[in-house]
Amino acid sequence: MWCAGVLTIFPEMFPGPLGASLAGKALAAGSWSLTVSDIRAFATDKHRTVDDRPAGGGPGMVMKADVLGRAIDATATDDRARLLLSPRGTPLTQARIEALAAAPGVILVCGRFEGVDERVIAARGLEEVSIGDYVLSGGELAAMVLIDACVRLLPGVMGDEASHAEESFTEGLLEYPHYTRPQVWEGRPIPDVLTSGDHGKVAAWRRAEAERLTKERRPDLWTAFLRRFRGGAAG
Ligand SMILES: C[S@@+](CC[C@H](N)C(=O)[O-])C[C@H]1O[C@@H](n2cnc3c(N)ncnc32)[C@H](O)[C@@H]1O
């Protein structure tokens, strides 16, 4: 079973949205498991202190290496990847999510304050991963994003496995546009080709739309796609 272990000073935030919908049903069905550890439980003073002033001065507080180190040692006892959610980290991609979903699970450390003492990152082999170029107030929502993206890829979790194969990023392209009934809505019809019954034409139209959208919206992905699948330069 795929196991997510989360270390946080806000354990009450979990499972949160992960307890609803697809991920929640899969959790209840035992397709994956979630263990949430309260970092504060590893503090040793009566105030359960987990942070302290930054060495060298400056604003904010820093999560303490000794407390976090103990929390990691007590909970990360197997060889699952140990990831620290961090805006400085390597941006997550669908390819990385697929690799993490295929592994036994993940250990996720949620930062707070200005971040965590650098020494614990090195000493416990934490790999920093980011969910995007913006700053959240804590790693918990980022951890939920990562878990949600992994869980939906676990065998049997998504109803229609084929839908994964055609999703955005899976092939290096954004997904084509979707339509459903009514046939005409506010004067806007569904493109004729989609109601033609010609599966070959539908597939060709979807592929052309996926390429058009990727080229227009994500030139970075389009260039990478051309290199990977066509061995050519961006056109
Ligand atoms: C307020 S942020 C710290 C930001 C840090 N001082 C900086 O400038 O990079 C607190 C915590 O939120 C989490 N976090 C914030 N933005 C994130 C992002 N884009 N991806 C993943 N985690 C993030 C991290 O765990 C981080 O330690």
Side-chain angles (χ1 to χ4, degrees):
M1 190 205 304
W2 193 83
C3 302
V6 178
L7 281 76
T8 170
I9 61 168
F10 293 111
E12 67 276 16
M13 288 175 76
F14 290 85
L18 297 172
S21 189
L22 204 73
K25 280 188 198 139
L27 185 60
S31 303
W32 66 288
S33 73
L34 175 66
T35 311
V36 183
S37 305
D38 184 357
I39 295 169
R40 269 189 208 287
F42 297 90
T44 49
D45 63 327
K46 71 171 182 192
H47 299 297
R48 306 209 306 157
T49 307
V50 294
D51 58 320
D52 207 339
R53 289 192 301 274
M61 300 294 274
V62 176
M63 287 181 92
K64 287 161 63 61
D66 52 346
V67 179
L68 194 49
R70 277 194 295 276
I72 293 168
D73 292 345
T75 49
T77 50
D78 53 30
D79 57 3
R80 279 176 288 170
R82 299 168 172 194
L83 308 181
L84 169 67
L85 285 311
S86 162
R88 304 191 308 201
T90 307
L92 278 172
T93 61
Q94 188 66 15
R96 186 72 209 281
I97 292 291
E98 283 170 13
L100 291 172
V106 284
I107 301 285
L108 301 175
V109 179
C110 302
R112 278 275 158 181
F113 315 109
E114 289 305 320
V116 314
D117 188 311
E118 193 69 22
R119 293 170 295 179
V120 78
I121 301 175
R124 295 297 180 272
L126 302 181
E127 178 193 343
E128 294 180 70
V129 293
S130 165
I131 65 159
D133 290 344
Y134 39 81
V135 180
L136 305 167
S137 49
E140 289 76 10
L141 288 174
M144 289 178 198
V145 166
L146 188 155
I147 293 171
D148 180 85
C150 288
V151 165
R152 60 193 296 283
L153 299 184
L154 299 177
V157 170
M158 257 196 293
D160 184 357
E161 299 289 338
S163 67
H164 169 223
E166 296 192 355
E167 277 186 319
S168 290
F169 311 116
T170 303
E171 258 204 287
L173 294 173
L174 300 179
E175 200 183 44
Y176 51 79
H178 297 288
Y179 299 86
T180 188
R181 293 179 293 183
Q183 174 64 32
V184 180
W185 178 73
E186 293 190 350
R188 297 165 189 262
I190 293 175
D192 286 340
V193 62
L194 296 180
T195 49
S196 67
D198 185 329
H199 297 305
K201 279 189 182 154
V202 169
W205 181 88
R206 286 179 168 166
R207 178 63 179 212
E209 284 293 290
E211 293 191 5
R212 177 184 67 78
L213 287 168
T214 308
K215 201 169 169 178
E216 275 174 23
R217 297 182 184 182
R218 293 291 300 273
D220 57 325
L221 288 182
W222 179 243
T223 304
F225 170 78
L226 290 178
R227 281 212 194 96
R228 212 164 123 215
F229 293 100
R230 294 189 180 170

